[in-house]
Amino acid sequence: MAKTGTTTQGLRSAIERSGYYPALVAEAVEAAVGGEPVSSYLVHQETTFDSNEIRRHVTVLVLTGTRFLVSHTDEQPADGTSASPYATTSTESVKLERIASVVLSRVVADPESYTPGTLPREVVLTIGWGAVSRIDLEPAACGDPNCEADHGYTGSTTADDLSLRVSEAGDGPETVRQALAFAQALSEATAAARPGAHR
């Protein structure tokens, strides 16, 4: 379930509608937002299956005039550290200038008959601000198939701080629309926040 909108009260209502520990999630998000007006938000609840356990988690993305905030809450079963189930909530606040990339991947059915405005089957929103990077390495080679020389390694680094997948089948078409709207608002805000951007 995902909800998007533009007001602090709307954000609170969306968290409550998600039904996922709303008091805990709202307190963490509201503390991170502080007194700043909310420009846009997205609340996404997801259920995953881990072996024979069902786990739920919620991610709340918030855009203000100066910051991007991400809050993630997971529930955990009783374990060696706790005799009862517990939840972990984390929030991170990122200045808009620090966001290096906003990647929106769209998956569409029947691309040969695609018409503009058709809703994608799923979207994946990936946001990078330099907190987490992934390095992919592979042996380097030259064009000679008989060459046995060591050419070292080649690779690439990818900023991969947050990746959120929303699908029409799993979350519904409105959730896909909401994810697209939030991605657009975040892209526009980060472009405006870059040094030298016209405001």
Side-chain angles (χ1 to χ4, degrees):
M1 170 190 300
K3 300 290 175 194
T4 189
T6 58
T7 68
T8 303
Q9 184 56 44
L11 172 59
R12 172 79 125 141
S13 297
I15 291 170
E16 289 172 357
R17 280 192 305 274
S18 80
Y20 183 85
Y21 306 124
L24 173 66
V25 173
E27 180 180 56
V29 170
E30 289 169 1
V33 170
E36 257 192 290
V38 172
S39 301
S40 186
Y41 61 83
L42 178 67
V43 178
H44 183 256
Q45 182 184 332
E46 189 173 15
T47 302
T48 58
F49 299 93
D50 183 15
S51 298
N52 58 353
E53 295 177 3
I54 297 175
R55 290 194 181 168
R56 297 178 305 155
H57 54 99
V58 67
T59 302
V60 180
L61 308 180
V62 180
L63 179 62
T64 72
T66 61
R67 298 178 297 149
F68 165 70
L69 299 108
V70 58
S71 176
H72 190 78
T73 304
D74 279 304
E75 64 183 0
Q76 306 291 332
D79 57 23
T81 63
S82 176
S84 61
Y86 60 98
T88 304
T89 299
S90 63
T91 57
E92 184 170 1
S93 174
V94 182
K95 289 183 178 181
L96 290 176
E97 299 86 28
R98 285 194 48 218
I99 295 180
S101 65
V102 178
V103 180
L104 184 67
S105 300
R106 302 169 189 241
V107 177
V108 298
D110 302 319
E112 68 280 351
S113 60
Y114 177 80
T115 55
T118 302
L119 200 62
R121 188 171 66 194
E122 73 178 53
V123 297
V124 178
L125 175 60
T126 304
I127 304 163
W129 57 91
V132 178
S133 292
R134 182 179 68 239
I135 299 175
D136 296 318
L137 294 176
E138 61 184 42
C142 66
D144 182 358
N146 297 318
C147 180
E148 295 180 12
D150 182 355
H151 294 284
Y153 289 88
T154 184
S156 62
T157 60
T158 307
D160 197 14
D161 296 305
L162 173 76
S163 189
L164 186 71
R165 178 183 171 272
V166 178
S167 72
E168 186 177 20
D171 302 295
E174 186 55 31
T175 301
V176 175
R177 280 188 197 90
Q178 292 164 351
L180 291 169
F182 184 84
Q184 181 174 348
L186 181 60
S187 290
E188 291 171 358
T190 56
R194 290 198 175 94
H198 299 289
R199 292 190 182 226

